[in-house]
Amino acid sequence: MKRGVSILGASGSVGESTLKILRQFPEEFRLVSFSVHSNLQKAELIAKEFQPNILCISSDAADRSILGDKIGNTKVLYGPKCLEEIVSAPEIETVVTAVVGASGIRPTVAAIRAGKKIGIANKETLVSCGPYIRSLLQNSKSSLVPVDSEHNALFQLLENMKKDSLERIVLTASGGPFRKLPIEDLPKVTIEQALKHPTWNMGPKITIDSAGMINKGLEVIEAHFLFGFSYDKIGVVIHPQSVAHGLVETKDGASFVYASYPDMIFPVAHSLYYPKIVPKVLRTHPATSWGTLEFLEPDMERYPGLALAYEAGRAGGTAPSIFNASNEVAVELFLQGKILFTEIPSLIRNVLEKIPNSFPNDLEGYEEADRKARELAFYFSKDKVVHLC
């Protein structure tokens, strides 16, 4: 019997990689449901090709007259709530959460409660409410298999290593397009420059996050909740070639490295097949083609958002949720031309300093912190308080 798959965010880069795998292995997988936010043209093409049971258009602003309620035999639902509805069907084995931002939290919770294996690419779920997600998983048949290339690399390395031999895990980062730009020139960078990632083809929000390595900060917090390492035992190195995705350092001083061509097809395929082995070569990339590999320490003066992420992670409670929410607002403001690139971490710090940290026991507590952070971030940007930091 084919394994059922649900994709949340099918029109993004991770979603497209997942569809690529489904095309390569049509005898193994079937698309049962999927979502897009507002790309109706892409949604229609996917529905006609894969003929899933359900399509969710998550944007409240979508014109319902364009696609109607059905595309062939595919039922079309509308609004953010349908993200939660489409992940629970009994024929679904794996849910790939590839939506961007805090909008992925509620559908991930629904998938956990339904006992699904989750290929998690929505890092904000664990960043925003990691303790709550971990408590849910303890009482569920659900499991998380990370899809981000760095976390998937660490997942595969750690799975076959003895815990008492481990010293530290290390996430790699490209360093973004401004790795060599003089720091004094960072306030002058344009939106177009920030959207030119040197290695990966990603959506605008993640690309801007990567330019300031805030994305890596979010991944540090995610790694803490995925693997249980303290923040002192989670490192970050700049690796411009993006061939090595994760390193595990052992107590005897050795390092184990996972390397592959920078293509999301590898971690996506692993998450879909897990715990089975991917049965055939997806893309050849011999070591002789790697060239010179560099590993450099990140400069926290150049990447203050990364330092802020460590601070928020160590504080625990709702601090990571506040960090994530204020960053989402700041990135959107930058993309709208309302704040400077260097004002993104300044705005985040302002919000973190003004909202008291708390340690809720329920999802609503984390969502309330998220709401307050977004409101305050907008307020600061309008009042130009962000410019004072």
Side-chain angles (χ1 to χ4, degrees), residues 317-329:
T318 56
S321 180
I322 295 166
F323 175 90
N324 177 71
S326 54
N327 174 62
E328 287 189 24
V329 173

Side-chain angles (χ1 to χ4, degrees), residues 335-346:
L335 288 170
Q336 293 172 2
K338 295 180 179 178
I339 65 173
L340 302 177
F341 178 74
T342 49
E343 290 175 331
I344 294 174
S346 297

Side-chain angles (χ1 to χ4, degrees), residues 20 37 94 109 149 158 211 225 273:
K20 189 186 299 184
H37 183 63
T94 303
V109 168
S149 63
L158 291 168
F225 289 113
Y273 268 100

Side-chain angles (χ1 to χ4, degrees), residues 52 58 108 152 233 256 291 295 306 312 349 362 372:
S58 60
T108 303
N152 185 266
K233 298 294 184 180
F256 292 80
F295 298 93
L306 176 60
R349 179 173 289 283
D362 54 18
K372 288 180 179 178

Side-chain angles (χ1 to χ4, degrees), residues 127-129 218 221 312 315-330 347-358 365-374 376-377:
V127 172
S128 294
C129 47
L218 294 170
I221 298 172
T318 56
S321 180
I322 295 166
F323 175 90
N324 177 71
S326 54
N327 174 62
E328 287 189 24
V329 173
L347 191 151
I348 295 170
R349 179 173 289 283
N350 270 310
V351 177
L352 279 168
E353 290 176 349
K354 292 296 187 294
I355 299 180
N357 195 13
S358 63
Y366 291 99
E367 289 181 327
E368 177 66 7
D370 179 282
R371 183 191 65 77
K372 288 180 179 178
R374 291 173 193 274
L376 195 55

